[in-house]
């Protein structure tokens, strides 16, 4: 178990390092920011002075090591435009994004579990077919278009929900619904196939042949076993959820990380992009590692090893 | 008499029956491909020409513009057809690049093992543990966005799935008699790889590629929605939907029409690939070849 955790941590470090390196390379690939930040009539000497002040005159390797050091101290430099700590600006936006991702995840997962259990308990083929087709349609549509459809129906036609910004609980509904439906479809599919696989296992058949109630077999035997692979996928899927959140935030003008990052990217405000990418990668890796260790711990087949 | 005997002993030919999903998928994807192929041949095809006097025409009102026009008076049918060609073309190119890169690396890693295999394992674990889509957005945005950049970035980064699977297949083939025996008789390694390993790996690559098409369309469209990828005036599904969003109140068809075409293409690709996967897996198992 300890060895497993150590290995998993090494992988986490490698992942974060990769992201930092990519972010660093991106920052340097765009050239030095001096000319971009100063007005057009600035002299070359002024541009050079600003580049030097921002540390761009040092050798690349020193700049890279400095970035790595920033990872430890949490200092990613100041935003070029706002002259504020980049990490501070990123952290300011985190609650809004977490709010979106959290509710989407919880609602999607709870509804998926409920639906999967209903399908198993009733054994209804019609229900499964409906879920399958609806899921296929939802998965054929990118988040931003589904979001637009929701806006069209609930904001434009019915006029009951706001389509932009983060002003009240009502403005949470459409973005969360967009993301949650995607989560719902994915988890329902995973859970249903895991439960169906369990239904064919010997111990499940035996229990039913002995006359145990279907529901009790489902809850005590099938669900715990089926939950493991789904839990494992949940950690990995978080990356998809974060990527989706970025786009959905742009659609709904939701003042979260995604919006900050996309606008910082278009303004070439590199410290923010770097801080944001590293923050997301860290959060993602921590959750992912945690889930992996948790799954390993719960799963009695591997916990001893 | 002989004829009668023959009819009795011949095994009843099993009729191949496509699943309903495959039929629906083929019709959906076929409609989009037909649109892409036929519309450019029609006399009114003009995806770029602006006509501000005929801006924002609704669909089915003007015979010159069957699906109406956008805010600049450009013919929507022409633009959707061109956008479909652009997005589908890009997707196929990206999928092909990844399939080739991933399969090559996977085969080499599986067959030779050692450090290369360790590197592939590490790489695939790192990519699995990374918010890839977010990084792609950052890369495509920071370097000057263009269709070529999107193809290059996505085409060179989405191959881990291929490498993972083909590595396992190649590793399991490495010790099989039909692979080892030519080597003992003096065949060179390249010959064995191309003659025995590649054909056995190919169905696995095709399965992943078929499933990947839908995923790649969704990712490129999301990038295009954010203004990354194909640049104006060349249309794409994502950028058309984004442009139409501003007119969602009065003229929702501007976003809806390209969206529906995208739904048809992605849904069709998904249904077809599911069918394809099931058929191929069945075929492999029946021959008892793999695993």
């Amino acid at each position: 178990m300890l060895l497993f955790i150590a290995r998993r941590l090494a992988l986490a470090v490698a992942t974060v390092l990769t992201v930092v390196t990519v972010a660093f390379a991106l920052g340097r690939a765009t050239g030095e920011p001096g000319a971009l930040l100063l007005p057009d009539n600035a002299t070359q000497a002024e541009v050079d002075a600003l580049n030097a002040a921002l540390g761009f005159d040092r050798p690349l390797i020193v700049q890279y090591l400095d970035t790595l050091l920033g990872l430890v101290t949490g200092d990613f430099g100041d935003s070029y435009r706002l002259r504020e700590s980049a990490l501070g600006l990123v952290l300011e936006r985190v609650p809004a994004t977490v709010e979106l991702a959290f509710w989407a995840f919880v609602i999607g997962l709870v509804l998926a579990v409920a639906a999967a259990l209903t399908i198993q308990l009733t054994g209804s083929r019609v229900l499964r077919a409906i879920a399958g087709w609806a899921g296929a349609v939802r998965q054929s549509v990118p988040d931003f278009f589904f979001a637009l459809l929701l806006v069209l129906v609930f904001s434009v036609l019915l006029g009951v929900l706001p389509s932009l910004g983060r002003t009240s609980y009502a403005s949470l509904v459409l973005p969360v619904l967009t993301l949650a439906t995607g989560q719902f479809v994915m988890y329902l599919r995973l859970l249903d196939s895991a439960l169906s696989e369990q239904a064919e296992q010997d111990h499940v058949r035996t229990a039913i042949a002995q006359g145990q109630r279907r529901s009790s077999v489902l809850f005590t035997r099938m669900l715990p076993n089926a939950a493991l692979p789904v839990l494992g996928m949940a950690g990995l899927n978080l990356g998809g959820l974060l990527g989706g959140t970025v786009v959905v935030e742009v659609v709904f003008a939701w003042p979260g990380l995604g919006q900050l990052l996309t606008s910082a990217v278009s303004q070439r405000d590199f410290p923010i992009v770097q801080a944001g990418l590293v923050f997301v990668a860290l959060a993602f890796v921590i959750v992912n590692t945690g889930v992996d260790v948790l799954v390993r711990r719960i799963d009695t087949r591997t916990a001893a090893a | 008499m002989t004829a009668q005997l023959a009819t009795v002993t011949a095994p009843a030919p099993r009729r191949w029956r496509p699943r309903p999903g495959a039929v629906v998928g083929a019709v959906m994807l076929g409609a989009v491909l037909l649109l892409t192929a036929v519309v450019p041949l029609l006399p009114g095809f003009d995806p770029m020409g602006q006509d501000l006097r005929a801006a924002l025409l609704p669909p089915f009102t003007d015979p010159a513009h069957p699906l109406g026009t956008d805010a600049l008076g450009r013919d929507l049918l022409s633009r959707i057809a061109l956008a479909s060609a652009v997005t589908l073309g890009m997707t196929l190119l990206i999928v092909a690049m990844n399939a080739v890169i991933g399969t090559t690396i996977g085969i080499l890693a599986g067959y030779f093992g050692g450090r290369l295999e360790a590197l592939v394992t590490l790489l695939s674990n790192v990519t699995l543990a990374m918010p890839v889509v977010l990084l792609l957005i950052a890369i495509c945005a920071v370097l000057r966005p263009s269709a070529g950049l999107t193809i290059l970035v996505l085409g060179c980064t989405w191959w881990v799935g291929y490498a993972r699977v083909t590595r396992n297949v190649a590793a399991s083939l490495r010790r099989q008699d039909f692979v080892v025996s030519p080597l003992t008789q003096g065949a060179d390694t390249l010959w064995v790889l191309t003659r025995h390993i590649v054909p056995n790996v190919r169905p696995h690559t095709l399965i992943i590629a078929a499933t990947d098409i839908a995923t790649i369309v969704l990712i490129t469209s999301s990038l295009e929605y954010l203004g990354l990828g194909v640049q104006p005036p060349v249309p794409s599904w994502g950028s058309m939907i984004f442009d139409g969003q501003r007119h969602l109140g009065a003229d929702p068809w501007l976003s809806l029409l390209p969206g529906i075409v995208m739904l048809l293409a992605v849904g069709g690709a998904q249904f077809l690939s599911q069918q394809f996967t099931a058929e191929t897996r069945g075929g492999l198992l029946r021959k008892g070849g793999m695993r």
Side-chain angles (χ1 to χ4, degrees), chain A residues 161-176:
Chain A
L161 288 168
S163 64
L164 288 178
R166 183 189 184 215
T167 45
S168 62
Y169 285 111
S171 52
L172 199 60
V173 176
L174 290 185
V176 165

Side-chain angles (χ1 to χ4, degrees), chain A residues 87-175:
Chain A
L87 187 65
L89 287 167
V90 166
L91 291 179
E92 220 169 75
R93 298 296 192 101
V94 168
T97 297
V98 168
E99 187 179 30
L100 219 55
F102 174 78
W103 286 115
F105 176 75
V106 169
I107 292 174
L109 188 62
V110 168
L111 288 182
V113 171
L117 290 180
T118 316
I119 289 177
Q120 287 295 332
L121 279 178
T122 56
S124 160
R125 283 180 182 216
V126 179
L127 215 57
R128 178 176 286 145
I130 292 175
W133 283 90
V137 171
R138 174 64 185 87
Q139 286 193 327
S140 303
V141 169
D143 285 341
F144 67 86
F145 187 63
F146 191 76
L148 227 63
L149 292 180
L150 289 181
V151 169
L152 188 62
V153 173
F154 290 103
S155 305
V156 177
L157 294 182
L158 300 178
V160 286
L161 288 168
S163 64
L164 288 178
R166 183 189 184 215
T167 45
S168 62
Y169 285 111
S171 52
L172 199 60
V173 176
L174 290 185

Side-chain angles (χ1 to χ4, degrees), chain B residues 161-177:
Chain B
Y162 300 91
R164 273 172 104 81
V165 171
T166 54
R167 177 200 53 196
N168 293 341
V169 178
S172 73
L173 289 170
R174 182 167 55 176
R175 304 260 169 263
Q176 303 239 347
D177 287 344

Side-chain angles (χ1 to χ4, degrees), chain B residues 29-94:
Chain B
L29 195 60
V32 177
L33 292 179
L34 197 70
L35 180 90
T36 316
V38 170
V39 170
L41 304 176
L42 299 179
F45 180 73
D46 181 11
M48 307 293 181
Q50 304 183 1
D51 181 4
L52 290 175
R53 283 165 304 166
L56 294 175
L57 285 176
F60 312 123
T61 49
D62 184 349
H65 304 291
L67 293 184
T69 55
D70 69 2
L72 296 174
R74 295 176 293 195
D75 181 47
L76 217 55
L77 180 62
S78 305
R79 286 183 72 72
I80 290 177
L82 182 60
S84 310
V86 166
T87 312
L88 289 178
M90 281 173 68
T91 303
L92 287 183
L93 205 58
I94 291 170

Side-chain angles (χ1 to χ4, degrees), chain B:
Chain B
M1 195 63 197
T2 41
Q4 206 182 4
L5 201 72
T7 44
V8 174
T9 48
R14 260 186 60 212
R15 268 189 65 207
W16 182 74
R17 240 190 236 153
R19 301 156 197 226
V23 176
V24 175
V27 169
M28 287 164 76
L29 195 60
V32 177
L33 292 179
L34 197 70
L35 180 90
T36 316
V38 170
V39 170
L41 304 176
L42 299 179
F45 180 73
D46 181 11
M48 307 293 181
Q50 304 183 1
D51 181 4
L52 290 175
R53 283 165 304 166
L56 294 175
L57 285 176
F60 312 123
T61 49
D62 184 349
H65 304 291
L67 293 184
T69 55
D70 69 2
L72 296 174
R74 295 176 293 195
D75 181 47
L76 217 55
L77 180 62
S78 305
R79 286 183 72 72
I80 290 177
L82 182 60
S84 310
V86 166
T87 312
L88 289 178
M90 281 173 68
T91 303
L92 287 183
L93 205 58
I94 291 170
V95 170
M97 283 169 72
N98 285 316
V100 171
I101 297 176
T103 307
T104 311
I105 293 180
I107 288 178
L108 293 178
Y111 188 80
F112 293 112
R115 264 195 211 150
L116 189 62
E117 188 165 23
L119 184 70
V120 171
T121 312
L122 179 72
L123 251 179
S124 56
N125 283 339
V126 167
T127 352
L128 267 182
M130 231 162 39
V132 181
V133 175
L134 203 62
L135 272 183
L136 288 178
I137 292 176
I139 297 175
C140 289
V142 167
L143 313 173
R144 210 161 294 280
S146 71
L149 180 71
T150 305
I151 293 174
L152 194 71
V153 170
L154 262 174
C156 295
T157 49
W158 206 262
W159 48 263
V160 172
Y162 300 91
R164 273 172 104 81
V165 171
T166 54
R167 177 200 53 196
N168 293 341
V169 178
S172 73
L173 289 170
R174 182 167 55 176
R175 304 260 169 263
Q176 303 239 347
D177 287 344
F178 71 97
V179 175
V180 179
S181 74
L183 286 173
T184 62
Q185 294 170 25
D188 66 20
T189 314
L190 187 66
W191 187 86
V192 171
L193 283 179
T194 52
R195 194 59 189 261
H196 287 315
I197 307 280
V198 172
N200 279 302
V201 166
R202 197 179 295 137
H204 296 265
T205 303
L206 287 179
I207 288 179
I208 307 176
T211 337
D212 250 9
I213 290 179
T215 318
I216 296 289
V217 170
L218 291 183
I219 294 177
T220 43
S221 299
S222 300
L223 287 174
E224 275 154 3
Y225 178 83
L226 296 175
L228 316 168
V230 181
Q231 294 302 302
V234 179
S236 64
W237 290 333
S239 63
M240 288 182 79
I241 292 171
F242 180 79
D243 290 340
Q245 200 180 343
R246 261 177 302 170
H247 306 275
L248 201 60
D251 311 308
W253 73 87
L254 286 178
S255 289
L256 283 182
L257 289 175
I260 290 168
V261 175
M262 175 165 58
L263 168 69
L264 288 177
V266 177
Q270 252 167 13
F271 284 138
L272 268 183
S273 77
Q274 275 163 18
Q275 167 77 9
F276 175 70
T277 308
E279 287 279 319
T280 323
R281 287 246 164 81
L284 285 173
L285 288 179
R286 235 176 287 132
K287 276 180 215 151
M290 311 313 304
R291 293 274 146 198

